[in-house]
Amino acid sequence: MEHLIDIESISKDDILNIINLAKEFKQGKKKSDVEKKTLALMFYENSTRTRCSFEIAGQKLGMSIINFDAAHSSLSKGESLKDTIENLYFLGVNAVVIRHSLSGIINNVIKQVKYPIKFINGGDGTHAHPSQALLDFYTMLEKIGTVENKKIVIVGDVVHSRVAKSNISLLSKFGADIHLCAPSYLQFQNLEAFNVKYHSSVKEAIEGANAVMVLRVQNERHENESYPDSKEYKRLYEIDTNLLKSYAASDVILMHPGPANRNIEVSSELLDNTVGKTILEQAQNGVFVRMAILNTLLKQGKEVNNAS
Ligand code: CP
């Protein structure tokens, strides 16, 4: 595993190695192999969980962390992302986590950068969010043991969701029974390209579900699109305690990548009860999964003093 750009380009073994390493970090059984390395967090889009958990993960591994300030960087003077990253490499940075609103930007810049810096996709447009899918998988394994033949339902703004795409890719590799539920205007146009079953009715979708993953309605990506008002969305698609109790498996787990729109896609009451706590545990697992990602990518390379 050279970089972490999307789930499609890593193997089942890579995924299981990260999951097992994350478990060792969580149990306090594994020490860092990357203490002298430096990580730069390059977030061109807002973030709470991904940014903070990569920072905490790096700190726990004894790494130096640079919080690159995109708004006050020389990008405003016209410097390209390639030149910025190559300069960071020569300053001593070993890995970058990039979040950006443009889908595929990391695949493009990787081809241009000439030096052996490691790239981690922290979420690019509507393309991919691989570390989120890995922490979601970790949480599912912890809570339901396996995903093979388990009914995993993804509900919400599927078309704009990099989380949904990365989760579908990962869950497909491990034999999950994947169901999507969304109104037609938030559904993939090329559904046949995905190994999933589609429902427009949320009751039908969550019937017997082992895990229900709720997605945020991404209002900021609905520009120029006709989107019905949120009351109508809530009436048809909001997940609440009553729905889960009436239709899902009795031990169903509720997931959400965050941030959640309370009382739109998921009820506030459900978020604040014990079922909703799994969402906070997802965020917590993100620290250990990201420790495993950083340790895996950075321990491979031979010691290079970029700055010398
Ligand atoms: N799940 C997720 O990516 O959250 P943030 O946008 O807060 O990083």
Side-chain angles (χ1 to χ4, degrees):
M1 197 173 121
E2 191 65 18
H3 305 286
L4 179 63
I5 307 305
D6 51 38
I7 296 294
E8 289 77 359
S9 45
I10 60 174
S11 68
K12 275 178 83 171
D13 280 349
D14 290 332
I15 293 169
L16 291 174
N17 287 339
I18 287 171
I19 296 299
N20 291 334
L21 192 55
K23 196 169 170 187
E24 287 185 44
F25 278 126
K26 190 168 180 177
Q27 292 170 343
K29 291 182 179 165
K30 169 77 186 147
K31 295 234 175 346
S32 172
D33 299 310
V34 295
E35 276 168 335
K36 298 208 171 83
K37 305 284 182 168
T38 300
L39 175 69
L41 304 175
M42 304 180 77
F43 279 62
Y44 297 87
E45 239 190 18
N46 293 344
S47 167
T48 295
R49 282 146 288 268
T50 310
R51 181 176 193 132
C52 293
S53 61
F54 266 117
E55 183 163 359
I56 293 167
Q59 286 167 353
K60 281 179 179 277
L61 291 168
M63 300 175 74
S64 301
I65 313 294
I66 295 178
N67 264 298
F68 177 83
D69 181 356
H72 295 97
S73 72
S74 290
L75 287 159
S76 64
K77 301 175 202 164
E79 189 168 35
S80 69
L81 190 52
K82 165 200 160 15
D83 287 340
T84 304
I85 291 171
E86 290 190 344
N87 275 273
L88 289 178
Y89 176 76
F90 274 81
L91 294 176
V93 172
N94 305 104
V96 287
V97 181
I98 302 176
R99 169 167 290 191
H100 206 288
S101 57
L102 290 179
S103 303
I105 190 166
I106 303 165
N107 302 64
N108 284 342
V109 82
I110 273 185
K111 290 181 202 143
Q112 297 165 20
V113 169
K114 293 203 270 309
Y115 300 97
I117 195 164
K118 301 290 182 182
F119 284 84
I120 299 166
N121 184 353
D124 63 329
T126 60
H127 169 229
H129 196 348
S131 65
Q132 180 70 44
L134 288 163
L135 75 90
D136 290 341
F137 185 47
Y138 184 99
T139 305
M140 284 186 254
L141 294 182
E142 206 173 53
K143 296 279 176 190
I144 59 178
T146 176
V147 298
E148 192 173 359
N149 297 322
K150 293 287 171 87
K151 183 171 182 180
I152 315 291
V153 186
I154 302 176
V155 185
D157 189 350
V158 172
V159 72
H160 296 108
S161 179
R162 54 197 177 207
V163 173
K165 292 189 191 92
S166 289
N167 264 290
I168 291 167
S169 176
L170 192 153
L171 292 168
S172 298
K173 286 181 195 272
F174 290 90
D177 179 22
I178 309 166
H179 294 246
L180 297 186
C181 179
S184 58
Y185 53 89
L186 294 180
Q187 191 51 272
F188 294 133
Q189 298 307 306
N190 56 337
L191 248 186
E192 63 289 346
F194 300 88
N195 180 23
V196 297
K197 300 175 187 87
Y198 167 69
H199 309 264
S200 56
S201 152
V202 77
K203 290 176 184 165
E204 182 191 299
I206 68 170
E207 181 81 52
N210 302 102
V212 174
M213 186 182 295
V214 186
L215 301 174
R216 181 172 70 88
V217 176
Q218 298 192 34
N219 292 307
E220 75 278 16
R221 297 192 210 274
H222 292 166
E223 235 179 294
N224 306 325
E225 292 171 28
S226 58
Y227 172 63
D229 69 54
S230 50
K231 276 194 197 136
E232 182 65 359
Y233 184 89
K234 175 181 167 70
R235 186 177 73 78
L236 292 171
Y237 292 97
E238 184 186 36
I239 303 296
D240 62 17
T241 304
N242 188 39
L243 257 184
L244 286 189
K245 270 204 177 130
S246 306
Y247 296 95
S250 57
D251 56 352
V252 64
I253 60 165
L254 176 74
M255 303 179 75
H256 194 308
N261 295 308
R262 283 176 177 261
N263 298 320
I264 304 288
E265 72 254 3
V266 59
S267 76
S268 208
E269 187 272 320
L270 185 55
L271 281 176
D272 291 333
N273 73 25
T274 49
V275 176
K277 190 164 167 238
T278 302
I279 294 168
L280 296 172
E281 290 166 350
Q282 279 176 264
Q284 183 181 50
N285 287 334
V287 172
F288 303 108
V289 168
R290 287 169 174 135
M291 286 174 80
I293 293 166
L294 293 170
N295 201 81
T296 301
L297 287 176
L298 287 166
K299 81 161 191 204
Q300 299 165 342
K302 46 182 193 272
E303 279 304 319
V304 184
N305 183 355
N306 311 1
S308 65

